[in-house]
Amino acid sequence: MARASEAQQRAILARLDKFSQLTDSSIGIPFTNIRIGAEAIIGLVPGIGDLAGLVLAGYVLLEAQRAGASKAVKLRMLRNMGIDFAGGLLPVVGDAFDAIYKANTRNTRLLRNYLEQQLAPEPAPPPFPWKTLIGLSILLAVITGGVALVF
């Protein structure tokens, strides 16, 4: 699949920011600084909720594919999805784990970091060391001339 243009990549990141915010931190818990998302609420439904969360997380992976993310980035995303899914299956603490781990936000950040590295301009090559070349040439000429005078 061809890599998305810079404008398409930025649009993908904007969609994922909204999606991650909705699924991971759209609901504030009163009297705390803790925010949970729709995925944590859906995860309260035993078994089905965790599977639905995994399907939702697949959307971020799909967008990463569209954006042209590397295999390594997508594998890290799959790892985050697996950790989130497995952690959510744990009795009692699984729902709290879902609320804290925030796999979609992690995966969106992974994609953003990857794309920013790809879009970063390459640094200019260092200038050719003309002064060093001229200095060494003069030094070698003097040495060669001195050797020629001696013999």
Side-chain angles (χ1 to χ4, degrees):
M1 177 176 231
R3 167 170 277 146
S5 71
E6 181 177 346
Q8 291 169 323
Q9 289 175 344
R10 294 199 188 288
I12 287 169
L13 288 174
R15 282 194 303 271
L16 289 180
D17 283 337
K18 289 177 186 174
F19 178 78
S20 296
Q21 199 273 334
L22 173 70
T23 58
D24 289 344
S25 58
S26 60
I27 304 164
I29 297 177
F31 311 110
T32 71
N33 291 332
I34 300 171
R35 298 193 67 77
I36 62 172
E39 188 177 338
I41 302 300
I42 294 168
L44 291 172
V45 179
I48 297 170
D50 296 315
L51 189 57
L54 186 61
V55 170
L56 286 172
Y59 170 69
V60 180
L61 187 63
L62 177 66
E63 289 285 22
Q65 175 68 27
R66 287 183 187 149
S70 70
K71 182 179 178 181
V73 169
K74 291 183 283 190
L75 285 173
R76 289 181 68 192
M77 288 179 161
L78 282 169
R79 182 195 69 198
N80 285 339
M81 291 168 60
I83 291 170
D84 187 49
F85 179 72
L89 292 175
L90 297 171
V92 183
V93 298
D95 296 319
F97 181 82
D98 265 345
I100 294 169
Y101 190 70
K102 302 181 187 305
N104 295 328
T105 300
R106 289 171 185 264
N107 287 344
T108 298
R109 189 177 319 120
L110 274 173
L111 181 59
R112 172 173 279 105
N113 291 343
Y114 172 78
L115 293 177
E116 285 175 355
Q117 286 176 351
Q118 299 304 307
L119 296 174
E122 288 187 33
F128 189 80
W130 288 106
K131 291 179 183 177
T132 305
L133 177 65
I134 292 169
L136 283 174
S137 297
I138 292 171
L139 178 64
L140 290 174
V142 168
I143 292 172
T144 304
V147 170
L149 287 176
V150 172
F151 292 107

